[in-house]
Amino acid sequence: MKRRLNVAVIGAGYWGPTLARTLRASRDWSLGAICDLDIDRARRAADAVGGATVVPDLEAVLSDPQIDAIAIATPASTHHAIAMAALDAGKHVLVEKPLADTQQHGEEMVGRAAERGLVLMADHTSCYTPAVLKMRELIAGGELGDILFIDSVRINFGLVQPDVDVFWDLAPHDLSIMDFILPGGLQATSVSAHGSDPLNTGKSCIGHLAMPLAGGAMAHVNVNWLSPTRTRRMVIGGTRHTLVWDDLNPQQRLTMYDRGADVASISRATAKDRREVAVSYRPGESRAPALEEREALGVVVSEFAAAIRESRASRTSGAAGLRVLSILDAAAGSLAAFGAPHVLPRTHSSAGVAA
């Protein structure tokens, strides 16, 4: 049997205890330690999983030769420093979203992991849900045809974060899903961002992202901390079918629609005729693909272990985290320019290595 890998969870705040619980239950991992500057908080997290070593000092974790990897669950502003120290200590690293607080920091992390031959994985948990895995499968299998648009909404009453705006807080979920399900990843050519701060918090509480994609499709993300209704919904329209993901509907998270514009008839028309042709629509049926229910975070930690054992990039590698960061960074640039499009370099979608 393969031995269990030893992991330490860094951070015992919101996400750390959930990570600790999942790692403790995994057949791939042994929970070596929980590290937090607040030792009482670390003890509470340890008690919740039946006990674990607690330490307040990161260096004590990184100098322990028995620890193979760390899982970072701390504020984004600390990810770079912790990850770089861990990689320099020869530890594999799992980082909760977003990968880092700036594009430059993310690039340094990906580069260091590649230099050291270590796995750097972004904890894009949503990508490992059965629904999103099925979306990826259907798109890769050509069920949707060519992608025409992606429209995503993530809105709710939410806590106004002290250190980030609504784009950095909520959009990474949707951007990571888009990057995961699209062949070749999320390849935006530009980003236009519009934000609003009706509460005068000093940061955007409502936001819209518009992203033309390299293949000619358009992606849109709507994020909002102030909505009285909670929505987690994505619509992916293709030339053959349209797929709707409703994460808040456990009875039918995915619906496939065989209806939409008859793109084929328009494509066959000449350039002159296209301006005059009447768009026809096909009124087809809908169906709900069968899904296996399982905990996504359990799949995340299993993938992390598999990537280490097989010396390969994970499905949500550092490079995937970097692509999400490139969109967030471009959004910040567009916001500063009052919504003007921020053009992305053509190489952004493959920036860094698949660490």
Side-chain angles (χ1 to χ4, degrees):
M1 292 179 60
K2 296 177 181 176
R3 75 167 181 89
R4 292 190 178 201
L5 298 166
N6 293 313
V7 62
V9 173
I10 312 301
Y14 170 71
W15 193 237
T18 303
L19 264 174
R21 173 185 58 79
T22 306
L23 289 161
R24 169 56 61 83
S26 172
R27 295 180 179 181
D28 295 302
W29 294 98
S30 290
L31 182 60
I34 298 175
C35 177
D36 196 289
L37 292 173
D38 185 336
I39 196 67
D40 290 332
R41 185 164 64 178
R43 287 196 182 100
R44 289 193 296 271
D47 291 342
V49 296
T53 300
V54 296
V55 292
D57 181 17
L58 176 64
E59 182 55 39
V61 172
L62 300 185
S63 61
D64 184 347
Q66 298 301 314
I67 297 295
D68 300 295
I70 68 165
I72 300 175
T74 59
S77 60
T78 67
H79 289 181
H80 174 260
I82 295 173
M84 294 294 278
L87 293 167
D88 285 341
K91 313 299 185 187
H92 303 281
V93 177
L94 174 68
V95 190
E96 75 166 309
K97 63 86 181 168
L99 184 69
D101 57 342
T102 69
Q103 178 79 3
Q104 180 181 344
H105 281 167
E107 290 173 353
E108 290 174 0
M109 290 160 61
V110 170
R112 188 64 54 84
E115 291 171 6
R116 302 281 180 168
L118 296 166
V119 171
L120 172 65
M121 179 174 171
D123 180 8
H124 293 164
T125 308
S126 297
C127 297
Y128 296 89
T129 61
V132 174
L133 288 167
K134 175 60 74 171
M135 290 161 67
R136 175 184 167 111
E137 176 189 319
L138 292 170
I139 292 172
E143 289 289 327
L144 273 64
D146 296 331
I147 302 300
L148 302 175
F149 69 89
I150 305 178
D151 192 67
S152 191
V153 180
R154 185 173 294 267
I155 62 176
N156 57 261
F157 271 139
L159 178 66
V160 176
Q161 300 296 323
D163 56 341
V164 294
D165 63 16
V166 71
F167 292 107
W168 281 79
D169 181 39
L170 297 184
H173 294 284
D174 305 275
L175 296 173
S176 65
I177 291 170
M178 292 180 190
D179 183 73
F180 188 73
I181 64 176
L182 290 174
L186 180 57
Q187 301 181 53
T189 59
S190 67
V191 178
S192 297
H194 295 271
S196 175
D197 180 22
L199 301 183
N200 294 317
T201 64
K203 58 179 71 69
S204 294
C205 297
I206 302 168
H208 293 262
L209 291 176
M211 299 170 287
L213 304 183
M218 170 63 76
H220 175 260
V221 177
N222 172 13
V223 287
N224 188 336
W225 279 329
L226 309 181
S227 171
T229 60
R230 186 167 182 256
T231 303
R232 301 282 185 271
R233 193 166 186 263
M234 185 178 291
V235 182
I236 307 104
T239 53
R240 294 185 59 199
H241 296 97
T242 296
L243 190 60
V244 177
W245 171 57
D246 184 352
D247 193 41
L248 301 185
N249 182 0
Q251 285 73 41
Q252 188 169 318
R253 295 191 197 275
L254 282 185
T255 306
M256 179 93 81
Y257 292 91
D258 183 21
R259 58 179 94 151
D262 188 357
V263 176
S265 64
I266 299 172
S267 300
R268 288 193 297 269
T270 65
K272 178 178 181 296
D273 292 338
R274 285 177 198 156
R275 292 192 294 269
E276 301 173 359
V277 69
V279 177
S280 61
Y281 296 89
R282 62 181 190 279
E285 300 295 326
S286 64
R287 62 184 177 89
L291 298 174
E292 176 189 354
E293 287 295 331
R294 62 181 181 273
E295 186 187 25
L297 191 55
V299 185
V300 170
V301 300
S302 293
E303 171 68 4
F304 186 35
I308 293 170
R309 287 172 172 149
E310 297 166 18
S311 299
R312 61 168 174 82
S314 70
R315 279 183 158 188
T316 51
S317 64
L322 206 52
R323 288 192 293 271
V324 171
L325 276 183
S326 72
I327 301 295
L328 295 172
D329 191 61
S334 177
L335 279 174
F338 305 101
H342 186 103
V343 178
L344 290 163
R346 294 188 64 182
T347 57
H348 93 278
S349 63
S350 58
V353 297

